[in-house]
Amino acid sequence: MAYDFVIAGGGSAASVAAMRLVREFGFRVLILERGPATTSRLMAMPAGYMKYLARDDFLEMHHTVPQPQLGGRGPIVPVAKALGGGSAVNAMVYMRGQREDYDGWAAGLGNAGQWGYADLLPHFTGIEQNAVFNDRYHGISGNLRVANPGYISGTTEDFLRAAQGLGHAYNPDFNGARQSGVGIMQHTYGQWGRYRERSDAKKAFLDPLAGDSRLTIVTGARVDRVLIDGQRAVGVVYTQGGEQKTALAEREVLVASGTYNTAKLLMLSGIGPADQLRQHGVAVVADLPVGQNLQDHHEVPVIATTKGKSGYFGEDRGWPLLRNGLQYLLFNSGPVTTTGIEACLFYDPDGGERPTIQLYCAPIVYLDRDVSSAKPTWGVTFTSCLLRPKARGSVTLRSADPAAQPVVDCNFFGDPDDLRLTIASVRHARKLLETEPFKSKIAGELLPGPAIDDEAGLTKFAGQTVKTNYHPVGTARMGADADPTSVVDGDLRVKGIAGLRVIDCSIMPAIVSGNTNAPAMAIGSKAAAMIAMAHGMPVGSPIS
């Protein structure tokens, strides 16, 4: 079959782009996704994703290189491996970031009419079906269900009041006029038929096109390289079931394989740092800084136990599990209708108006296995997520073998100011524990522990416990034509290669100040409009 566009990857950005290219513009599109076509039925339930956090059913675990500034630790960073990408496996938080993020992109590109906040806002609102808001910042006619959690823990309510007790204003809409303050986070979640379920990109954008002959989806297909004829991309080579196959694109190849694997695919195709490619025997097609500029949100916890029952500990086993499951199945309500991460605080420890920290409240003692041997119990976990880290990491080739994972250097705390802000937020999180209604309910601080209070101790603790917030971006940076640090231009075209664009979060020049799934979808929508215009199609407002 002939295709106008071949998309390498089937994640959030790819799903939105494919939907628009097919339904609005009538193009023939092929999606090649390495993961399975569906995840577990359990993953559709808002609380179900927690059963898969440490498993590789729908995740690819990347072990980052040892970090000297973390005492030799190499944090693990999982990325999605399923149709729908991160939206199919994440905690469903719907967060766009700050106006300044996108206006900063536009300023760097020198094209304020392309990627500024005002330019991206229609792509957010156009695909959104919000169950709470209907105003200039939100839409109600799109396919993507967005709603507040169906259940709020008492511990979350304590967090909201304690933060206000410390002077933080309540914010009912982090994606509205301002981001700062404390409030409930909206999620990509809503009513699908009988039940409140995950609203992932597959369900929202691809499933409505089932039966449309213009869209072909092939899963279990690892794209190994882009086929380049001269200086033009003409298709891809992929492996499915141990067999190597070729797919040709009559118009363009679109790469949306995720920040790590997009960089890997470009480099395997001869697009990347020339010296590095030659080291692995890859012929150089375009010498570009692919794999540089890696950024990721990372977080450090403050964990306390409580004097009595709190949050969600024990709710997924025994009689509580049966009770909660029946409540969901019979009444579409209860703890199963929440992801367990319901609220956060956006603020700046230095007192600035623009938040630099997203402080999450998890109503449970939450510990990674490599952090502590302490057993989960009733309590609360505050994690301080740095919104705009200054450090930059990298993704490089491990070998020329398409089956090999790339080498990821996360470089967490590679800039001293990243560590300074994180430690300042750890101290602020401790103040929350000392503020009512928490103060009278807390049994004791588990981590870092009351004995660790000096700068050296907190620095060591941060290095031992820092983990990803699962938001890697930036390895195919977008930039002006004269910008030597960029890989794609303002139209997402790979520099020096015709017929090839990157359309996922790897194009971000700077990470957005919030969870990255919503921006990925907006990038996919914006990309589809740009592509359609380039091929002579009239483009209106994004509608899903």
Side-chain angles (χ1 to χ4, degrees), residues 99 147 213 227-228 260 313 340:
R99 176 187 298 269
S213 62
L227 284 172
I228 299 175
Y260 297 160
F313 175 69

Side-chain angles (χ1 to χ4, degrees), residues 45-62:
M45 302 178 186
Y49 77 100
M50 290 182 276
K51 293 291 186 182
Y52 289 87
L53 288 175
R55 296 170 52 173
D56 60 2
D57 305 62
F58 315 115
L59 296 171
E60 180 183 60
M61 305 295 182
H62 288 263

Side-chain angles (χ1 to χ4, degrees), residues 216-535:
T216 303
I217 300 173
V218 179
T219 55
R222 185 193 68 222
V223 180
D224 296 337
R225 61 187 173 91
V226 178
L227 284 172
I228 299 175
D229 183 4
Q231 293 298 115
R232 182 175 187 84
V234 296
V236 300
V237 174
Y238 67 98
T239 299
Q240 184 189 39
E243 181 182 352
Q244 194 170 82
K245 303 177 181 181
T246 299
L248 299 179
E250 294 186 358
R251 294 179 185 265
E252 294 188 38
V253 174
L254 312 177
V255 179
S257 301
T259 292
Y260 297 160
N261 288 308
T262 283
K264 183 182 93 167
L265 175 58
L266 291 175
M267 289 186 283
L268 288 175
S269 306
I271 303 167
D275 291 345
Q276 182 193 146
L277 299 185
R278 293 189 183 105
Q279 288 175 9
H280 296 288
V282 177
V284 178
V285 177
D287 184 4
L288 293 171
V290 172
Q292 304 305 301
N293 192 51
L294 174 65
Q295 300 154 65
D296 191 5
H297 293 139
H298 47 76
E299 59 188 32
V300 170
V302 169
I303 305 176
T305 56
T306 52
K307 296 174 182 177
K309 291 185 177 181
S310 68
Y312 296 113
F313 175 69
E315 293 294 316
D316 60 348
R317 66 196 70 182
W319 163 243
L321 172 63
L322 179 60
R323 179 194 62 213
N324 295 334
L326 285 173
Q327 183 176 356
Y328 177 71
L329 293 173
L330 295 175
F331 306 109
N332 196 24
S333 63
V336 176
T337 63
T338 177
T339 63
I341 309 295
E342 298 146 357
C344 75
L345 164 66
F346 282 100
Y347 80 111
D348 178 22
D350 291 339
E353 292 186 7
R354 186 181 181 191
T356 55
I357 294 288
Q358 181 179 10
L359 196 154
Y360 295 94
C361 172
I364 194 170
V365 170
Y366 171 68
L367 296 166
D368 275 7
R369 288 172 296 178
D370 67 339
V371 168
S372 172
S373 60
K375 296 180 179 179
T377 184
W378 286 295
V380 63
T381 300
F382 299 145
T383 59
S384 293
C385 173
L386 185 64
L387 291 175
R388 293 181 300 282
K390 294 180 179 178
R392 298 291 183 266
S394 65
V395 174
T396 55
L397 283 181
R398 189 177 303 274
S399 74
D401 179 5
Q405 289 186 346
V407 177
V408 178
D409 182 355
C410 62
N411 200 26
F412 294 167
F413 298 145
D415 187 288
D417 202 50
D418 295 350
L419 177 63
R420 180 190 67 80
L421 279 169
T422 299
I423 290 178
S425 189
V426 166
R427 294 187 185 279
H428 195 71
R430 283 174 150 173
K431 290 181 181 179
L432 284 167
L433 295 176
E434 291 294 321
T435 303
E436 293 291 3
F438 274 122
K439 185 175 182 179
S440 58
K441 298 179 181 179
I442 297 299
E445 184 182 298
L446 186 62
L447 288 177
I452 300 177
D453 193 47
D454 64 304
E455 203 71 12
L458 289 174
T459 295
K460 182 178 180 181
F461 170 75
Q464 291 171 334
T465 59
V466 65
K467 61 179 286 294
T468 179
N469 203 219
Y470 316 105
H471 301 153
V473 308
T475 56
R477 172 191 173 115
M478 175 172 58
D481 291 343
D483 181 359
T485 69
S486 63
V487 175
V488 302
D489 65 14
D491 289 317
L492 309 185
R493 298 172 297 196
V494 175
K495 295 183 175 182
I497 305 295
L500 181 62
R501 299 186 204 232
V502 178
I503 63 168
D504 62 16
C505 286
S506 63
I507 64 98
M508 291 187 182
I511 196 167
V512 295
S513 306
N515 310 65
T516 52
N517 187 45
M521 296 184 195
I523 289 169
S525 176
K526 175 76 170 175
M530 287 179 158
I531 292 164
M533 288 182 65
H535 291 274

Side-chain angles (χ1 to χ4, degrees), residues 125-130 139-145 204-205 542-544:
T125 60
I127 63 177
E128 179 185 28
Q129 184 181 129
N130 202 296
I140 59 172
S141 301
N143 282 11
L144 182 72
R145 273 52 160 189
F205 306 113
I543 300 172
S544 65

